[in-house]
Amino acid sequence: MRRSQLFTKTSKTFPADETSKNAQLLIKAGFIHKEMAGVYAYLPLGLMVIENIKRIIREEMNSLGGQELIMTNLQSRELWEKTDRWDDKKVDIWFKTKLKNDSEVGLAWSHEEPITEMMKSFIASYRDLPIYVYQFQTKLRNELRAKSGIMRSREFVMKDLYTYSKTEEDHNKIYDQAKKAYMNVFNKVGLGDKTYLTYASGGSFTQFSHEFQTITGAGEDTVFVDMQKKLAVNKEVLSDEVLKQLGLQKGDLEEMKASEVGNIFSFGDAKSKQLGLVYTTADGQEKPVVLGSYGIGVTRLMGVIAEVFADERGLVWPEAVAPAQVYLAAIGEDAKVKDKADELYNLLTEKGIGVIYDDRDERAGEKFADADLMGIPQRIVVSDKTLAADKFELKSRTSKDTQQLDKENLIKKLEIISN
Ligand code: ATP
Ligand code: MG
């Protein structure tokens, strides 16, 4: 992608009411646009990060046997009444609206009810199970506070997986596999050493649910971490009894701020009973299907990555989610510089290495500041100086040192890095 053709610009400012670091940086770098409090648009560079995160999640969901679909944003009031989750007193973040005929509909904040209802069309016998389905979908939630940038917004992208199993035993197996798949996701996006499997409140069916909490001062949750065991307990369930039950010692725990990037739940057969999702066993009995629900906040995860890795110069994207691997800066007016940079841009693009090519007539300082602010992992400079030595200058976002490399070695190096 050529900077001269990218409509977004970097900026030194951000909206006065924007207090979160992730949104301030993402706005300055041209990744997102603030529509209103807690509502953000994702611009081309931001969308590339989202798509990279989605690709990583999709790989893991597919290897669990998940099948991708997209449910609707408009939801039936009657359906959510059946499970007693329509009332604002029960679910306090609903957005609701009316059809022309005055009947009420809800705007999707989650999808357990509609997916379970839909499965009645597809599940009849034990032969139809298990079924695992997932989606990337825009969720709408009327959050009371939205002060954490894209880490808590009123409109956000969630990946939600729903598992339908024959028995509790089968459910527990896929639940454990999902736990591992989630950890794989957080490892792959670069947050593995900061993200902890966390015991949290379970809701109706089980004593605990499991959250994935990433340690960051920007997080809204408080967790107690056992670094050795790589486990944490959410403050909301912490008690002497719970610690004893989990085999954890108070003295081993460290209190930390964290952000919930994922959450997995067992619903048991409660929802299937409420909605009438049953199957026939091999010996002809009728049984309710066992449900699990598993969320990852895709855009929250992007915000957490931005928060955790940023430095005083701007964003710092891990390779796996960066919008491009290379920021290519052509410095100077010289036509030979432009030609050389064009040639390298084409070559890298051919090799499948993502490049943001700064082909604008801007000063070197401006281009370097943008490369840093945007957080692109590698920067390559083509200038009179590098041309004279028949080399390219390579520098990584996180180191001070530059390297002078000829074309062959440059490509080799980049191919290693981006694999
Ligand atoms: P929280 O306690 O932070 O409000 P939640 O328990 O309401 O989260 P879930 O309903 O389990 O969250 O949603 C699944 C995932 O979606 C969460 O783990 C989180 O990563 C993400 N998420 C939830 N609410 C928001 C939001 N308002 N903005 C962005 N991401 C969110
Ligand atoms: Mg919430």
Side-chain angles (χ1 to χ4, degrees):
M1 143 185 321
R2 286 174 182 266
R3 267 312 287 278
S4 61
Q5 283 166 16
L6 184 66
F7 79 86
T8 57
K9 296 188 172 106
T10 56
S11 153
K12 297 208 164 22
T13 60
F14 48 81
D17 66 343
E18 187 54 72
T19 52
S20 79
K21 180 169 79 176
N22 67 80
Q24 289 175 357
L25 285 172
L26 290 164
I27 290 168
K28 288 204 303 190
F31 283 58
I32 63 172
H33 167 74
K34 186 170 194 169
E35 190 67 33
M36 62 181 98
V39 183
Y40 301 88
Y42 290 82
L43 305 176
L45 296 172
L47 183 59
M48 287 163 113
V49 177
I50 291 188
E51 291 302 322
N52 288 336
I53 295 173
K54 282 166 65 172
R55 180 175 35 76
I56 289 168
I57 296 175
R58 189 174 276 129
E59 264 168 35
E60 292 297 328
M61 294 303 107
N62 289 347
S63 62
L64 284 177
Q67 301 180 56
E68 189 170 351
L69 48 70
I70 302 186
M71 299 297 286
T72 66
N73 243 307
L74 295 177
Q75 299 185 336
S76 146
R77 167 186 174 155
E78 291 69 31
L79 178 59
W80 287 86
E81 276 176 345
K82 282 188 200 162
T83 59
D84 198 22
R85 294 214 288 179
W86 175 258
D87 194 332
D88 292 331
K89 289 190 202 87
K90 293 279 161 56
V91 173
D92 62 0
I93 42 78
W94 268 120
F95 280 111
K96 294 173 180 173
T97 188
K98 276 185 181 155
L99 302 180
K100 294 279 191 211
N101 69 6
D102 258 4
S103 62
E104 257 190 308
V105 290
L107 305 186
W109 66 276
S110 192
H111 280 86
E112 286 86 8
E113 274 73 353
I115 295 193
T116 300
E117 178 70 15
M118 181 184 78
M119 283 302 169
K120 285 157 68 178
S121 308
F122 302 107
I123 297 172
S125 109
Y126 67 95
R127 289 189 211 88
D128 300 322
L129 291 166
I131 294 178
Y132 311 141
V133 291
Y134 72 98
Q135 62 176 348
F136 294 96
Q137 221 255 9
T138 299
K139 300 288 193 268
L140 296 152
R141 293 187 182 184
N142 200 349
E143 302 279 359
L144 185 60
R145 271 176 289 276
K147 299 212 176 304
S148 300
I150 65 167
M151 288 167 61
R152 180 177 301 284
S153 44
R154 299 196 165 99
E155 188 175 329
F156 63 96
V157 179
M158 192 200 285
K159 183 288 301 171
D160 36 338
L161 165 75
Y162 303 88
T163 63
Y164 293 88
S165 303
K166 288 193 285 279
T167 60
E168 205 54 47
E169 198 186 354
D170 287 359
H171 166 76
N172 290 339
K173 274 187 211 144
I174 188 67
Y175 189 85
D176 278 340
Q177 287 170 17
K179 244 189 232 169
K180 293 200 187 87
Y182 267 45
M183 231 28 239
N184 292 344
V185 168
F186 302 121
N187 281 323
K188 286 184 184 175
V189 300
L191 290 173
D193 59 348
K194 294 189 171 62
T195 304
Y196 293 87
L197 181 70
T198 304
Y199 289 86
S201 64
S204 51
F205 186 72
T206 46
Q207 185 187 359
F208 299 112
S209 73
H210 292 94
E211 294 174 342
F212 293 81
Q213 293 276 2
T214 304
I215 304 305
T216 165
E220 295 179 12
D221 291 1
T222 302
V223 296
F224 289 80
V225 183
D226 186 322
M227 298 276 180
Q228 232 72 53
K229 297 201 167 117
K230 270 225 92 178
L231 282 179
V233 182
N234 194 312
K235 189 178 182 177
E236 68 188 17
V237 297
L238 189 81
S239 70
D240 288 340
E241 196 182 319
V242 163
L243 289 180
K244 199 166 140 203
Q245 197 182 339
L246 298 174
L248 298 171
Q249 307 288 331
K250 211 168 208 162
D252 298 339
L253 302 181
E254 209 175 317
E255 181 174 347
M256 295 175 138
K257 294 304 266 182
S259 177
E260 180 199 309
V261 287
N263 195 184
I264 66 178
F265 271 98
S266 294
F267 273 89
D269 58 12
K271 209 158 287 290
S272 296
K273 278 182 180 155
Q274 285 169 323
L275 295 176
L277 176 63
V278 293
Y279 73 98
T280 317
T281 63
D283 51 17
Q285 283 175 289
E286 202 167 75
K287 283 202 164 155
V289 180
V290 180
L291 170 65
S293 168
Y294 317 69
I296 293 181
V298 174
T299 43
R300 176 178 291 181
L301 187 54
M302 173 176 167
V304 170
I305 295 169
E307 285 280 342
V308 164
F309 294 106
D311 64 14
E312 64 295 339
R313 288 176 287 135
L315 297 162
V316 181
W317 297 110
E319 299 281 343
V321 301
Q325 298 311 305
V326 173
Y327 195 97
L328 171 60
I331 306 297
E333 308 284 274
D334 196 335
K336 277 197 208 131
V337 167
K338 279 245 151 80
D339 287 348
K340 196 76 174 178
D342 279 357
E343 193 189 305
L344 183 65
Y345 173 60
N346 291 332
L347 182 64
L348 292 176
T349 305
E350 257 170 48
K351 301 239 174 228
I353 297 169
V355 187
I356 296 173
Y357 175 21
D358 198 339
D359 57 343
R360 301 168 307 158
D361 292 327
E362 291 288 349
R363 290 177 301 106
E366 194 81 23
K367 295 191 178 186
F368 295 167
D370 274 7
D372 282 349
L373 176 60
M374 288 181 181
I376 309 305
Q378 306 293 331
R379 185 186 81 191
I380 298 174
V381 173
V382 181
S383 65
D384 283 339
K385 225 170 73 191
T386 67
L387 215 58
D390 201 21
K391 295 272 166 76
F392 296 95
E393 181 188 286
L394 178 69
K395 182 188 160 308
S396 96
R397 176 63 179 78
T398 50
S399 89
K400 289 198 189 78
D401 307 325
T402 59
Q403 280 179 285
Q404 312 296 322
L405 299 168
D406 61 26
K407 189 163 78 184
E408 200 173 295
N409 282 314
L410 176 73
I411 300 288
K412 243 190 236 161
K413 185 132 200 171
L414 291 174
E415 280 180 331
I416 293 169
I417 294 168
S418 57
N419 272 329

